[in-house]
Amino acid sequence: MITLTNVSKRYKGQELFHDVNVSFEAGKIYGITGINGSGKSVLFKMLCGFVFPDEGTIEVDGRRLAGKNRFPKDFGILIERPGYIGQLDGFSNLKELARIQNKIDDATIRKAMEQVGLAPNLTQKVKQYSLGMKQKLGIAQAIMENQQVLLLDEPFNALDADSVERIRTLLVHYKQEGRTIFLTSHQQQDIDLLCDEVYHIQEGGLNHIR
Amino acid sequence: MVSRIGYALAWLQVTVFACIWMYYDQQEALGHGIFFNQWDLLTAVTMNTYLLIYDVLLLVLVLSIIRIRADLTENRLIRFRDSRSALLHSTGRFAKVWGTGLLLYGAVGYIFTLQAPSASVWSLAARTEQVFYVSKDSLFFDLPPLIAHLLQLGFLFTGGLLIHLLLGLVYLWTKRTKLLYLLASLLFLGTGLAFKIGLPSPFFLLSLAALLEYQAYAFWTGCVLVIGAGLLLLDRPIRLPQSGGAASLYLVCCVMIFLMQPVGQTYGDYLIAVFSGTASENFSFQPYLNHAVLFFGYTYLLTQRFERDVIQQGMYHIIRHQSLNRWFLRQFSRLIMTAVLTATGLVVLATGFAFIQGVKWTTEMESLLIRITTLLYHTVVNGSLQLIVYGLILFLVLYWTREAVQGMYWIGGAMVALLPLVRQDWMPVGLNGTVRLLDHSAVSITIQLVLTGLFVLTVIQLAFRRQIRTTY
Amino acid sequence: MQTIIQTEFKRSGTRRTLMMSLLLPLIILLQFKQVRTGYVFTSWQGVFEESAGVIVAVAFPLLCCLVYLPTVAREIDHQFIRYARTRVALGQYLVAKGIVNALIVFTVFFVTMIAWMLFLRFVEPNLHWMTYEQGSESLTTFTQVFRTDGIYMLVYALWIGLNAALYATIAYLLLVLSGNLLLAVGLPFLFYHLLNFTAGLFSAPQFSPISTIFPFNIIAMPLWTILVPFSLLSLFLFILIITGQKRTEWEW
């Protein structure tokens, strides 16, 4: 469903990808690994249209990401730091995002918060959240609208053990529902436990490890 | 026991000085053949300027510090619901000591004045020339002397309480004893200095006669309000302003502009003055600031909105719209709506205040030779377009830089661009000022603003073709 | 603490800080270029007032914040301070940065102003760039008191530097307390212009910040008037310092 064809990308003078050809199928969890600065976040940004490959094409469900189809449909993303409005509480933050497509109601938002381990009625402002809570909020916005493809850049950062377990269970459940999930993590355990296939970024290539 | 002796000695020294002063005043009056009575002499006790500044004030400060150090320790504070209760309790204890002392002081002082001729009214000397410590024009002479002195003592009592509250607030807030001493020293020294150079000071909290003479009502009211606000805000954390506060402040400033216009103008002249803006020739600072508040105030509020939608949650908005243009269209439509509403709202509000100010409802104008319809067109339509242009440039700046503070720099830069040394005709800032109608038609300004808007939209489209910056 | 301050000074010597420091003289030079022709002056003080007044006066709070504050903001944003905390006491670190911020801004403004005044007074007459008319320049709040050129230059440059340091320190504290650069830069700027606006509306321009820091647009006022907005700002600074000292948790 996602195909990279002859994709090359230089970023700040460094060649991250050189002539990469790879296809990702639907309904699997893909792990993307690599050393710091290897290009994991850049790959995710290319997949969701924020960044263009220098050469080559990226197709999602047969539609090339370019021009009017620059951004793919139905993607839930968590890239770099979670984006939030500090002066609002968690629910209001998610509500602001949900209003855009108007696909879900308040109950669904609350359910998403509960699923990631956040209390929906918490009146605390997000700027007062701990790092782990902010991370959970970021995951909640990525999953709440039933997005079929999830790009999660280090989703387990700052999460306690219970929360990690909760999110892992959630991701496996989504995979069984047929969603496609891409995730990065520096914890080998996360990769080993969750991922059906693993790709490693090294020396300009996206190498299929498992 | 020791503290009671201390209090007694403190009051005793004040009384002694008051009586010494009274004696010398009496001798001076007798020497000049002035006929006075006991009420005149009593002013040396209750209204003696130098005694109040250099002795009574010092006494208040010392008593207050002693009370604060005893009542507002951590061990005592823990017994109260909150700091405010503790401070009020301490003030109550201070009031007891202070009030008792004042009463005794007044009574003893009065006893000393009984050597003077007795009367039930002020003496003629007091009313016809400056005698003792009350000027001949003082409102005090309209009151019976007993009431006047009691009022003064009451005022002195209240003044002491206010000073104690002030010191207590500072101590509770900083929890620094040295700061408390420093503040007390500054109050004492500052009062003497301020009195010499004619500035308001805590002396006006202690002397009702002086307050009336110098009409320092604003100062006294200000002190009460500040102390009241301090009491209310005690125990509350300091919160930095949020957008609701900024919007209210904006509204208040706009209303101030509408209210502070000269009366007796025509409606057209009133609008011209409010929305005048600036020109290179005959630049005037106040209209410049008025324009900055009215239109850059809106831009600042917009910065806060864009900070949320473009920077903080921008990435997640874009992915949901699946198109930069769809996302931008939403922002743009909101911009158009708010700009039109703001420009129209400002004119409507201005009209309302023009009605309150009692302007002449005529189509004639003295400042500009234009029709009222042209003026309204310019203020509403060109005002809206100008706000839209400001908003579009702001959007572009924030989208490109991803730093909300750049919006502030843009506003600062735009304000600089309005200055006569910098201003050029082609710059799309301040074009909606009514002063522009001197040299340009409203329609030409509309065309200029529309073209500018289209230009900025084109640049935004070009920016959209590039990669989206997500790195902070 | 001395070591931390010295380290911070060394760290602040970046290209960016240098470029931002040059912004103020650049603006003054550009203004000077504009006023060289078409304006009538009777002395170097008039040239100074026109070239170092207008734009600098309007953008003053922003210029104070541009020099060093973005560096601090970047450190907060990139969570540098979080990792510096394990190496140095946070309180000392923040105080040191505040002192460095104030000193750098003070130095930039003081040196620029006094250098420009010295140039106009002593160097420009040899270059003959300006033509002066006969007459005397109207007195300002400072020139009415400090009649000797040397004393006036020193006092006025100190006054500008002090105010610049004050605005920069308030902005720094707001940044450290809120973590929001927009608020840190915006609030002093808003205060500055709102107070200008309000003082003008109530016909008391002598108490406006712009007329007390750059007293060139009003007639000479008693010197004590310059202390009114300065005192308000100092009080606000004091409140911010106490708020910072009372805070026990620091998380941006």
Side-chain angles (χ1 to χ4, degrees), chain B residues 299-468:
Chain B
T299 314
Y300 176 74
L301 294 175
L302 202 59
T303 308
Q304 294 185 320
R305 181 79 220 185
F306 280 159
E307 185 186 16
R308 288 163 50 147
D309 290 348
V310 177
I311 298 172
Q312 286 171 338
Q313 280 194 333
M315 217 164 42
Y316 302 105
H317 279 237
I318 293 167
I319 200 72
R320 281 165 172 80
H321 282 101
Q322 290 158 32
S323 161
L324 279 171
N325 281 319
R326 262 202 291 272
W327 168 66
F328 172 68
L329 206 63
R330 198 180 171 112
Q331 302 298 325
F332 188 40
S333 55
R334 193 184 284 139
L335 168 64
I336 293 174
M337 196 178 67
T338 54
V340 170
L341 277 174
T342 302
T344 313
L346 285 175
V347 173
V348 166
L349 258 181
T351 306
F353 279 95
F355 178 73
I356 293 168
Q357 298 270 69
V359 300
K360 295 179 212 160
W361 293 99
T362 164
T363 55
E364 303 295 317
M365 273 172 273
E366 286 165 31
S367 328
L368 279 176
L369 292 173
I370 54 171
R371 292 191 298 206
I372 193 80
T373 45
T374 308
L375 180 63
L376 286 170
Y377 168 85
H378 181 69
T379 48
V380 173
V381 175
N382 288 338
S384 305
L385 286 171
Q386 182 70 85
L387 288 177
I388 291 169
V389 166
Y390 287 157
L392 283 174
I393 296 175
L394 179 69
F395 175 88
L396 181 61
V397 167
L398 295 185
Y399 174 79
W400 194 252
T401 62
R402 306 203 63 75
E403 287 179 24
V405 73
Q406 299 293 337
M408 208 66 237
Y409 297 144
W410 145 239
I411 291 172
M415 284 182 67
V416 166
L418 279 174
L419 294 170
L421 275 180
V422 181
R423 184 178 198 132
Q424 304 288 328
D425 263 348
W426 55 266
M427 288 183 180
V429 283
L431 297 179
N432 62 320
T434 53
V435 74
R436 297 282 295 175
L437 293 173
L438 278 168
D439 302 319
H440 304 83
S441 70
V443 172
S444 69
I445 294 172
T446 304
I447 292 170
Q448 188 177 355
L449 284 168
V450 167
L451 287 175
T452 307
L454 288 171
F455 174 73
V456 179
L457 280 169
T458 310
V459 176
I460 289 173
Q461 286 301 307
L462 288 173
F464 281 173
R465 283 174 200 253
R466 300 179 64 114
Q467 297 178 144
I468 299 170

Side-chain angles (χ1 to χ4, degrees), chain B residues 140 148 151-152 155 203-213:
Chain B
F140 266 12
L151 275 176
Q152 165 57 23
F155 189 79
F203 172 58
F204 292 119
L205 296 177
L206 302 175
S207 170
L208 184 56
L211 183 84
L212 293 170
E213 187 181 338

Side-chain angles (χ1 to χ4, degrees), chain B residues 27-289:
Chain B
Q27 295 301 112
E28 193 183 330
L30 287 170
H32 285 100
I34 297 169
F35 292 102
F36 55 90
N37 60 34
Q38 87 277 30
W39 299 116
D40 303 335
L41 268 189
L42 194 57
T43 59
V45 173
T46 61
M47 300 177 206
N48 185 331
T49 306
Y50 297 102
L51 197 70
L52 284 172
I53 291 175
Y54 296 113
D55 207 336
V56 174
L57 177 61
L58 186 62
L59 184 64
V60 168
L61 291 170
V62 169
L63 287 178
S64 181
I65 288 174
I66 292 171
R67 206 54 286 136
I68 286 168
R69 296 288 317 276
D71 294 343
L72 300 179
T73 57
E74 293 295 338
N75 286 336
R76 286 196 63 87
L77 280 175
I78 215 154
R79 283 160 173 73
F80 290 92
R81 189 178 64 227
D82 51 31
S83 309
R84 193 185 308 129
S85 314
L87 179 58
L88 291 174
H89 186 257
S90 170
T91 308
R93 292 181 72 177
F94 172 82
K96 220 165 94 173
V97 171
W98 175 236
T100 314
L102 261 184
L103 210 58
L104 287 171
Y105 166 68
V108 169
Y110 180 70
I111 290 167
F112 274 99
T113 66
L114 291 177
Q115 59 181 302
S118 174
S120 59
V121 294
W122 295 101
S123 70
L124 198 59
R127 289 176 178 280
T128 56
E129 55 191 276
Q130 186 145 358
V131 171
F132 302 103
Y133 303 96
V134 186
S135 71
K136 66 179 179 357
D137 304 318
S138 177
L139 290 172
F140 266 12
F141 292 126
D142 297 333
L143 299 167
L146 177 64
I147 304 292
H149 282 293
L150 283 175
L151 275 176
Q152 165 57 23
L153 280 175
F155 189 79
L156 189 51
F157 173 74
T158 313
L161 294 186
L162 287 173
I163 291 171
H164 177 78
L165 278 170
L166 179 67
L167 291 177
L169 276 171
V170 170
Y171 181 73
L172 279 173
W173 196 55
T174 62
K175 298 274 167 55
R176 296 276 175 89
T177 317
K178 282 189 184 146
L179 267 172
L180 181 65
Y181 296 149
L182 180 65
L183 177 63
S185 311
L186 284 173
L187 280 174
F188 178 65
L189 295 168
T191 303
L193 190 64
F195 181 72
K196 275 199 171 63
I197 60 178
L199 285 178
S201 69
F203 172 58
F204 292 119
L205 296 177
L206 302 175
S207 170
L208 184 56
L211 183 84
L212 293 170
E213 187 181 338
Y214 292 94
Q215 296 183 349
Y217 311 117
F219 175 77
W220 193 88
T221 315
C223 286
V224 169
L225 286 172
V226 166
I227 291 169
L231 268 176
L232 282 171
L233 294 173
L234 201 57
D235 298 315
R236 278 168 215 249
I238 289 185
R239 274 174 223 267
L240 296 164
Q242 303 198 12
S243 58
S248 309
L249 186 61
Y250 171 64
L251 208 58
V252 165
C253 290
C254 293
V255 168
M256 279 165 65
I257 294 171
F258 301 146
L259 282 174
M260 297 304 231
Q261 298 301 322
V263 293
Q265 303 180 85
T266 65
Y267 171 60
D269 289 321
Y270 177 85
L271 280 186
I272 288 167
V274 166
F275 297 107
S276 67
T278 66
S280 297
E281 299 82 33
N282 303 320
F283 174 83
S284 184
F285 200 53
Q286 196 55 44
Y288 165 80
L289 285 175

Side-chain angles (χ1 to χ4, degrees), chain C:
Chain C
M1 172 66 98
Q2 210 177 340
T3 324
I4 306 171
I5 293 174
Q6 278 170 357
T7 312
E8 282 308 310
F9 260 117
K10 282 184 200 152
R11 287 184 66 223
S12 70
T14 60
R15 227 174 18 198
R16 196 197 171 279
T17 309
L18 184 66
M19 279 176 59
M20 287 296 125
S21 308
L22 293 173
L23 187 61
L24 177 65
L26 184 66
I27 291 174
I28 291 176
L29 286 172
L30 285 172
Q31 257 187 247
F32 172 66
K33 187 171 167 294
Q34 292 277 81
V35 305
R36 264 186 71 192
T37 51
Y39 281 69
V40 174
F41 298 108
T42 55
S43 73
W44 69 269
Q45 280 154 343
V47 181
F48 173 73
E49 286 159 20
E50 278 301 322
S51 56
V54 192
I55 296 176
V56 176
V58 166
F60 184 70
L62 290 181
L63 291 172
C64 297
C65 295
L66 272 173
V67 182
Y68 186 71
L69 211 65
T71 316
V72 182
R74 213 160 288 124
E75 283 190 16
I76 291 174
D77 234 19
H78 295 150
Q79 301 178 353
F80 175 82
I81 296 185
R82 174 174 299 166
Y83 299 104
R85 277 177 92 153
T86 57
R87 292 160 172 79
V88 65
L90 180 65
Q92 285 194 332
Y93 186 69
L94 292 177
V95 168
K97 286 196 94 63
I99 291 171
V100 166
N101 173 53
L103 285 174
I104 289 177
V105 174
F106 173 84
T107 307
V108 166
F109 277 79
F110 174 77
V111 167
T112 306
M113 290 298 172
I114 205 163
W116 185 236
M117 283 194 273
L118 288 169
F119 173 81
L120 288 175
R121 173 68 181 84
F122 297 109
V123 178
E124 190 280 322
N126 299 317
L127 300 172
H128 304 293
W129 285 351
M130 300 295 306
T131 316
Y132 295 109
E133 306 276 333
Q134 286 296 322
S136 57
E137 209 66 52
S138 50
L139 291 174
T140 66
T141 304
F142 282 84
T143 52
Q144 70 173 344
V145 176
F146 306 104
R147 297 298 190 124
T148 320
D149 283 349
I151 307 273
Y152 167 69
M153 286 184 212
L154 187 64
V155 170
Y156 186 66
L158 274 172
W159 174 241
I160 294 274
L162 194 61
N163 275 278
L166 183 60
Y167 276 94
T169 308
I170 287 174
Y172 170 78
L173 284 169
L174 285 169
L175 176 64
V176 156
L177 288 170
S178 69
N180 187 332
L181 186 58
L182 174 63
L183 187 78
V185 171
L187 212 56
F189 183 74
L190 283 175
F191 168 84
Y192 184 79
H193 282 294
L194 281 179
L195 201 53
N196 289 334
F197 163 75
T198 314
L201 272 187
F202 287 101
S203 303
Q206 66 271 27
F207 298 123
S208 64
I210 209 168
S211 298
T212 54
I213 303 173
F214 300 92
F216 312 137
N217 59 336
I218 55 170
I219 57 168
M221 288 287 158
L223 199 61
W224 64 265
T225 57
I226 66 173
L227 294 175
V228 173
F230 185 81
S231 306
L232 276 174
L233 273 174
S234 301
L235 182 65
F236 185 51
L237 177 66
F238 176 73
I239 292 171
L240 286 175
I241 290 172
I242 298 296
T243 308
Q245 284 183 329
K246 284 157 76 85
R247 187 187 275 205
T248 50
E249 284 171 21
W250 291 87
E251 197 68 59
W252 294 284

